[in-house]
Amino acid sequence: MSTDNSDSPDADPSESFVQDTGEEGPRIEFYGGRGMSAFPIVFFILWAIAQTAFWRISDEGGLVIGILVGLIGGMFFVRGDWKTYANTIFEGMTQPVAVTAIVAWIWAGMFAQLLQDGGFVDGLVWFANTAGIGGALFPAATFVLAAVFTTGIGTGYGASIAFVTLFFPAGLLLGANPILLFGAILSGAIFGDNLAPVSDTTIVSAVTQDSDIGGVVASRFKYVIVAAIVAFAGYLVAGQFMGGLGIGGDAQELLVAESEPIGLVHLLSMGVVIGTAVAGRHIVEAISWGIVVAAVSSLALGLLSLGDIVSFNAPADAPLSQPLEFLPILTVVENPDDVGVGGSLIQGAAGFFELAILVLLIIAAAQIMIRGGAFQAILDWSIENLATNVRNAELTMVGSAALINAVITINTAAEVAIGPYISKIGERFNLNGYRRANILDAQTAALGYIFPWSGGVLAGYSAMQELPGEFEWFDTGMLVTPIDVVPFVFQGWLLVAVFIIAALTGFGREYIIDRESEEVARL
């Protein structure tokens, strides 16, 4: 998934995710039939389109209200007691895949904020300026770096947060186009999300199709790299024609000229995260080590004080506030408005609390759709009416996975829900497990970073909304609304296109008799 939190090497992903499918439990009956169970999620999608596309308001608070209104409205179509409907909302909100995404966002947010406050953006600007990487080349370079970083750590959401926090402001200072740069970051996250062996989407796609992870990763490389080569060329070309914002003219040149390389010490922190994740450690453990290394490096080099990392602003009349004022993390304040907790860690985590609520409610609405039967009805119809031959079967698999990702915005959750049906369609035409897993994961990895209400886009946008408060030169007019970036997520659109072409031409198609998938042997 885009949260791509890897399990421990001893875990069994088939057990970890089987509870998330929503296929067990009481059914909900609706006036108007099974289709009415889709009311909450359809209402939310229409709300999101109106808010983000028509009114150009990219605010998670508004989206939270939209899904809440949809869930409340759906109750009035329930036959009989509403208790099962209400319990299903709680059931959806407690799905492990949703919690996994939230945990990844919070940890990544703390890590990225530490690096930003420790001068990493300044170091990036210095390096790019010294190396002659101007605004035109910066999006293409960012795409490659984000792809490598995400492939290493396995969390596309975490990579989106880190790169928006760190690379986005650096790119703007160098003259990169903000929309193109955001698209490049999301594209890099898609690349790694789709290819990383430790990514949740890789694990789930393999497990649901009874395939080994190593074989799945090896077999999908040809699809991913074709899309990536074209995407990289696209960012190179588009960078030449899409100019930057021209931030401050002489002020911009001064900021670039005054940048210093010391912040690049945090490349060590990023390397620790990648190395720990590649070694098979849990993604929370990997990012935690990165946080520790970043904090120690910043303190040792004088880039941050302990109070910059975590600080307590206590009122003067609070017990023990003045006697303990000598502590580096404690400040006694006279103004009641200044009382509170601050620092890099709380700033990094707090930016995602609203998004966390939104995602939990969306998963709840998706669970209503599953329990009410709309999800099943759509898939049954597609299997019986569209999958008439192997070519149409693969196109149906692509379309079904795309549709579910429009509804379930956390892509691992979407894979868990659609995986059994992809398997059913593929087995009907004897398609190899690797082929099925690749079709499944490509759509969920790609579209989870394209739809404006998807988790990957909103995670990056949430991180971007914090930037005006971090840099004096950064104002709200520089923010990229999720609807604007949709056409520029090149890797996502190209990956979907690659599999449509593969379905039509048979490129890479394998049958069970061609190569047997092994049992899942490792994570």
Side-chain angles (χ1 to χ4, degrees):
M1 103 191 184
S2 22
T3 84
D4 305 328
N5 182 13
S6 62
D7 286 5
S8 67
D10 297 325
D12 182 353
S14 63
E15 294 179 0
S16 301
F17 294 105
V18 70
Q19 297 176 355
D20 300 342
T21 60
E23 294 184 9
E24 300 295 333
R27 288 284 303 275
I28 308 173
E29 293 187 2
F30 287 81
Y31 293 109
R34 294 187 294 176
M36 289 308 299
S37 65
F39 176 86
I41 203 72
V42 171
F43 180 89
F44 167 72
I45 291 174
L46 293 175
W47 180 295
I49 291 173
Q51 177 183 312
T52 61
F54 298 156
W55 301 326
R56 317 295 289 182
I57 303 173
S58 298
D59 176 44
E60 285 103 341
L63 296 177
V64 168
I65 297 301
I67 190 64
L68 283 171
V69 172
L71 286 167
I72 293 171
M75 286 187 182
F76 292 94
F77 296 97
V78 175
R79 287 181 178 272
D81 191 357
W82 290 1
K83 182 178 180 180
T84 302
Y85 183 96
N87 285 337
T88 303
I89 293 176
F90 283 97
E91 178 189 349
M93 293 181 73
T94 56
Q95 292 291 327
V97 289
V99 177
T100 297
I102 293 168
V103 170
W105 293 336
I106 292 174
W107 254 254
M110 291 190 295
F111 177 63
Q113 189 67 44
L114 259 180
L115 266 60
Q116 183 189 87
D117 292 346
F120 188 58
V121 173
D122 206 34
L124 286 175
V125 172
W126 176 88
F127 175 78
N129 186 52
T130 302
I133 303 174
L137 296 178
F138 200 81
T142 298
F143 166 61
V144 173
L145 293 173
V148 173
F149 182 73
T150 310
T151 303
I153 68 171
T155 165
Y157 287 171
S160 296
I161 293 167
F163 271 70
V164 167
T165 302
L166 303 171
F167 281 69
F168 190 80
L172 263 58
L173 274 179
L174 292 166
N177 181 275
I179 299 176
L180 191 64
L181 184 54
F182 190 25
I185 291 171
L186 295 175
S187 286
I190 291 169
F191 180 98
D193 211 5
N194 186 216
L195 195 61
V198 296
S199 163
D200 272 3
T201 58
T202 301
I203 295 170
V204 174
S205 66
V207 170
T208 58
Q209 306 309 312
D210 297 318
S211 301
D212 63 289
I213 294 172
V216 164
V217 171
S219 65
R220 75 177 43 157
F221 182 77
K222 57 181 174 290
Y223 307 113
V224 179
I225 201 64
V226 167
I229 291 171
V230 180
F232 178 74
Y235 287 118
L236 283 177
V237 173
Q240 306 300 317
F241 295 96
M242 297 176 66
L245 300 176
I247 301 170
D250 293 338
Q252 177 187 13
E253 294 181 6
L254 181 62
L255 287 169
V256 173
E258 291 181 347
S259 60
E260 297 179 351
I262 186 64
L264 292 176
V265 69
H266 293 303
L267 288 172
L268 175 62
S269 307
M270 300 184 79
V272 167
V273 173
I274 294 174
T276 309
V278 169
R281 312 304 294 183
H282 196 286
I283 190 60
V284 169
E285 180 182 350
I287 298 179
S288 294
W289 276 115
I291 290 173
V292 170
V293 173
V296 171
S297 300
S298 295
L299 291 171
L301 296 173
L303 297 173
L304 292 174
S305 67
L306 197 57
D308 292 326
I309 297 174
V310 59
S311 62
F312 297 87
N313 296 331
D317 58 352
L320 297 180
S321 60
Q322 294 186 348
L324 296 178
E325 192 175 5
F326 67 91
L327 294 174
I329 61 173
L330 181 64
T331 302
V332 177
V333 296
E334 299 294 336
N335 188 345
D337 293 336
D338 294 332
V339 173
V341 180
S344 300
L345 296 182
I346 187 62
Q347 282 183 269
F352 301 94
F353 292 162
E354 201 170 63
L355 177 60
I357 295 171
L358 173 62
V359 167
L360 291 176
L361 292 170
I362 291 173
I363 297 297
Q367 194 76 356
I368 294 291
M369 184 176 173
I370 292 171
R371 287 280 185 257
F375 181 79
Q376 181 74 50
I378 293 170
L379 294 173
D380 287 346
W381 180 86
S382 65
I383 290 174
E384 295 301 324
N385 296 279
L386 300 178
T388 54
N389 55 48
V390 66
R391 178 185 297 173
N392 289 344
E394 291 192 340
L395 290 173
T396 300
M397 292 159 69
V398 171
S400 299
L403 175 63
I404 296 307
N405 273 273
V407 173
I408 305 177
T409 59
I410 300 299
N411 51 13
T412 299
E415 278 196 356
V416 169
I418 193 68
Y421 301 93
I422 296 295
S423 180
K424 183 177 180 180
I425 296 172
E427 288 175 352
R428 172 182 288 190
F429 292 93
N430 212 32
L431 289 170
N432 182 275
Y434 295 149
R435 178 72 165 186
R436 303 195 308 264
N438 291 335
I439 292 175
L440 170 62
D441 198 26
Q443 317 320 307
T444 52
L447 297 171
Y449 296 86
I450 290 179
F451 293 122
W453 55 86
S454 64
V457 177
L458 291 177
Y461 182 71
S462 293
M464 194 184 301
Q465 287 180 303
E466 302 299 315
L467 295 178
E470 300 294 332
F471 303 97
E472 293 182 0
W473 53 267
F474 199 114
D475 60 58
T476 55
M478 299 174 186
L479 299 177
V480 179
T481 58
I483 193 68
D484 288 333
V485 78
V486 169
F488 299 97
V489 189
F490 295 160
Q491 178 71 10
W493 290 117
L494 288 165
L495 196 56
V496 173
V498 163
F499 275 92
I500 292 175
I501 294 170
L504 293 172
T505 63
F507 170 67
R509 183 179 295 148
E510 290 185 296
Y511 296 94
I512 294 175
I513 57 174
D514 296 331
R515 176 168 56 168
E516 291 284 351
S517 298
E518 303 171 7
E519 292 186 4
V520 176
R522 61 185 178 87
L523 294 184

